[in-house]
C-alpha cells in the first residue's frame, strides 16, 4: 500500500500555487497588452478619422474661399546709398596698399548651387522616397485645381514621410529655413515641374506644422511664408494682419489670388535666424588674409566650413541684430583664435582694439553688394572669408565678433544712414567719438574708414546720430 508523504505537501502546494499565479499574471499581462494595443488602435483610428475630416473640410474651403490680394514691394532696410568706396584717413600711408576700395572681378562670385549637386551643402543624403502623385494640370492654376491637388495629397498616408523628414532635420541640425531648402532639394528630381513641386511643399510644410500658404496667378503658383523676423527684399501680402513673404518673384501685373484661412490654428510662423543653419560639412577651405602691419604686410590663414558658407548664400536678408548675434562655426572660431590671439599678447586694451580694427580695414577689399552680388547681401564671418570683397556691415559683423571673443569687451552696432560701424565699451580718450547706451559709454570703431583708430569718425557722418543695435 502506497503511503502519501505529507512532508512534501507544503512544497508541492507552493509549486502549484506559484504556477497558477504565474499563469494568471501572464494571462492578465497578455490581456492588458491586448487592451493597450486595442486602445492605441482605436485612438489612431480616431485621429486618422479626425485628420481625414479636417483635410476634407480644408479641401472644401479651398474650392471656394480665394481672394485677390495686393502685392507689396519688398522692404528695404536702408534707402540711403552706401559709400562707393572705402574712405581713407587723410595722410594715411597707402604705398603698400594702393588698391584700397578697388575691386576687379574676373567672374561673378557665386556659391555652388545646391540644386545641381548630389550633396546638400557638403552632406551626402540618403534620399527619401516620396509617394507617386497624380497631379491635375497645374500649368494654368485655379482654386479648383489646387483644392483637387490637396485632396490627392491628403488621400495618401504621409505619416512615415513626415517622421523621416523630421529625423533628417534633426540630424542635419537644420532650422526652419534650412528645412525649406532641404525639402526643395529633395523634390528637385521627382518633381521638376515647379508648380507641382511648390504645391507639394505647401502640403508637406503644413503637415509639419508651418503656417504656409500658396497664391497663384495666370501661370504660376507661389509659396508664401510668415516669419518671426522681418525679411527684406521679398514681395509680400498682408492676410488677416499677418505678413506672408513670397519666396519667388512675381514678374507681371496679373491678379494674385490666395485664401484667408489657415490649415491649422496651431501652425507656426517660420523662425528665420542663424541659431540653426546646418551641421558642419567637415569640408574646409582656407582664406589668406593679408593686412597692413607697420611698414609691411602680415598674412594669416583662416579656415571656414564650405558647406555652411555656401548655404548662407541662400538665406534671405533679415535685421542686422541677427547677424551681430550669430556665432561663426567652430572651424572658423578655432582658426580665428589660433591665428590672431598670439598677435595681441603684450598689447594694451586700446592697442588690441586698434590692431583688430586695422586687420579688418586692410585685410579685405571693399565693394558694395550691388557690385558683387547684384543686390543687398549681408555677410556673416564665414561668408566674408568666402567672397572676394565685403562692405561696411560685413566688416562690422566680423570685427564685432573678434572684439567680443578675443578681448571680451561689450560691443554695439551703429546704424548711420547708408553706413554701419560698431562701438566698443572701453576707456574714453580725448577727442574720441563716443556714444552712451543703457548707461554705458562706447567708443567708435569703424572698420571701413581705412587708417582710422578707435574713436575716429568719417567726416561724412560726423553730424549724423546713429541708431544703436544692441546684441
Amino acid at each position: 500500500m502506497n503511503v502519501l508523504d505529507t512532508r512534501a505537501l507544503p512544497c508541492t502546494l507552493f509549486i502549484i500555487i506559484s504556477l497558477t499565479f504565474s499563469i494568471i499574471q501572464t494571462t492578465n499581462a497578455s490581456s492588458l497588452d491586448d487592451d493597450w494595443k486595442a486602445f492605441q488602435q482605436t485612438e489612431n483610428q480616431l485621429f486618422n478619422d479626425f485628420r481625414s475630416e479636417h483635410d476634407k473640410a480644408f479641401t472644401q474651403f479651398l474650392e471656394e474661399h480665394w481672394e485677390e490680394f495686393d502685392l507689396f514691394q519688398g522692404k528695404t532696410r536702408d534707402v540711403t546709398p552706401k559709400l562707393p568706396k572705402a574712405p581713407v584717413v587723410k595722410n594715411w600711408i597707402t604705398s603698400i596698399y594702393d588698391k584700397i576700395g578697388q575691386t576687379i572681378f574676373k567672374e561673378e562670385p557665386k556659391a555652388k548651387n545646391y540644386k545641381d549637386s548630389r550633396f546638400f551643402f557638403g552632406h551626402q543624403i540618403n534620399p527619401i522616397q516620396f509617394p507617386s502623385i497624380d497631379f491635375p494640370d497645374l500649368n494654368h492654376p485655379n482654386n479648383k485645381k489646387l483644392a483637387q491637388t490637396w485632396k490627392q495629397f491628403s488621400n495618401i498616408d504621409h505619416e512615415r514621410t513626415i517622421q523621416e523628414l523630421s529625423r533628417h532635420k534633426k540630424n542635419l541640425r537644420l532650422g526652419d529655413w534650412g528645412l525649406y531648402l532641404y525639402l526643395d532639394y529633395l523634390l528637385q528630381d521627382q518633381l521638376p515641374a515647379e508648380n507641382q513641386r511648390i504645391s507639394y511643399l505647401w502640403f508637406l510644410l503644413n503637415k509639419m506644422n508651418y503656417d504656409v500658404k500658396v497664391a497663384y496667378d495666370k501661370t504660376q503658383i507661389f509659396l508664401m511664408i510668415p516669419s518671426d523676423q522681418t525679411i527684406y527684399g521679398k514681395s509680400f501680402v498682408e492676410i488677416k494682419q499677418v505678413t506672408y513673404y513670397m519666396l519667388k518673384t512675381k514678374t507681371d501685373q496679373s491678379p494674385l489670388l490666395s485664401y484667408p484661412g489657415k490649415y491649422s490654428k496651431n501652425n507656426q510662423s517660420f523662425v528665420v535666424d542663424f541659431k540653426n543653419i546646418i551641421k558642419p560639412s567637415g569640408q574646409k577651405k582656407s582664406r589668406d588674409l593679408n593686412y597692413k602691419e607697420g611698414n609691411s604686410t602680415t598674412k594669416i590663414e583662416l579656415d571656414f566650413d564650405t558647406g555652411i558658407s555656401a548655404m548662407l548664400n541662400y538665406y534671405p536678408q533679415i535685421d542686422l541684430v541677427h547677424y551681430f548675434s550669430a556665432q561663426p562655426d567652430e572651424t572658423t572660431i578655432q582658426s580665428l583664435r589660433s591665428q590672431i590671439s598670439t598677435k595681441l599678447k603684450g598689447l594694451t586694451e586700446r592697442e588690441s582694439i586698434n590692431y583688430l580694427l586695422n586687420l579688418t580695414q586692410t585685410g579685405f577689399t571693399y565693394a558694395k553688394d550691388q557690385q558683387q552680388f547684384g543686390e543687398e547681401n549681408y555677410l556673416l564671418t564665414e561668408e566674408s572669408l568666402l567672397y572676394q570683397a565685403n562692405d561696411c556691415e560685413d566688416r562690422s559683423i566680423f570685427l564685432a565678433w573678434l572684439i567680443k571673443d578675443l578681448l571680451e569687451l561689450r560691443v554695439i552696432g551703429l546704424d548711420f544712414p547708408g553706413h554701419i560701424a560698431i562701438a566698443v565699451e572701453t576707456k574714453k580718450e580725448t577727442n574720441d567719438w563716443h556714444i552712451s547706451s543703457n548707461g554705458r559709454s562706447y567708443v567708435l570703431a569703424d572698420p571701413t574708414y581705412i587708417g582710422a583708430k578707435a574713436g575716429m569718425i568719417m567726416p561724412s557722418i560726423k553730424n549724423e546720430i546713429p541708431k544703436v543695435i544692441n546684441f
Side-chain angles (χ1 to χ4, degrees), residues 35-53:
D35 288 346
W36 174 245
K37 287 181 179 177
F39 171 76
Q40 284 184 311
Q41 288 173 354
T42 302
E43 287 296 300
N44 288 337
Q45 186 59 49
L46 287 171
F47 177 73
N48 288 335
D49 290 344
F50 166 77
R51 184 170 56 187
S52 177
E53 287 301 314

Side-chain angles (χ1 to χ4, degrees), residues 343-446:
K343 309 282 187 184
L344 305 178
K345 287 183 178 179
L347 301 183
T348 66
E349 183 173 284
R350 177 62 71 114
E351 288 171 341
S352 295
I353 294 169
N354 284 330
Y355 189 96
L356 297 176
L357 186 55
N358 170 73
L359 181 154
T360 310
Q361 289 169 353
T362 62
F364 295 100
T365 301
Y366 179 87
K368 293 197 300 181
D369 290 332
Q370 290 293 337
Q371 287 176 271
Q372 187 168 202
F373 303 105
E375 61 183 0
E376 191 68 13
N377 186 24
Y378 307 153
L379 304 180
L380 291 179
T381 297
E382 297 93 328
E383 295 176 283
S384 280
L385 298 178
L386 174 65
Y387 296 110
Q388 297 182 50
N390 60 17
D391 63 9
C392 59
E393 74 271 354
D394 313 322
R395 292 163 177 241
S396 296
I397 292 162
F398 181 85
L399 178 62
W401 187 87
L402 289 181
I403 291 175
K404 285 183 65 179
D405 186 81
L406 300 181
L407 305 183
E408 298 182 354
L409 297 175
R410 291 178 181 269
V411 180
I412 57 174
L414 299 178
D415 186 356
F416 293 94
H419 185 62
I420 300 294
I422 65 169
V424 185
E425 187 180 31
T426 189
K427 185 178 179 180
K428 183 169 68 72
E429 296 182 357
T430 304
N431 297 324
D432 276 349
W433 189 99
H434 63 283
I435 189 170
S436 295
S437 177
N438 296 328
R440 298 175 180 274
S441 181
Y442 296 84
V443 174
L444 175 68
D446 193 334

Side-chain angles (χ1 to χ4, degrees), residues 175-205:
D176 295 346
W177 186 260
L179 175 64
Y180 155 68
L181 292 177
Y182 185 60
L183 274 171
D184 189 51
Y185 161 81
L186 290 174
L187 293 170
Q188 288 289 324
D189 291 334
Q190 185 168 334
L191 298 175
E194 191 171 39
N195 281 353
Q196 291 183 1
R197 188 170 66 255
I198 289 173
S199 63
Y200 197 30
L201 282 167
W202 167 50
F203 175 82
L204 290 172
L205 288 168

Side-chain angles (χ1 to χ4, degrees), residues 108 156 172 203 250 272 303 315:
E108 187 70 16
I156 300 170
L172 286 168
F203 175 82
K250 180 172 164 58
V272 182
D303 300 329
Y315 261 68

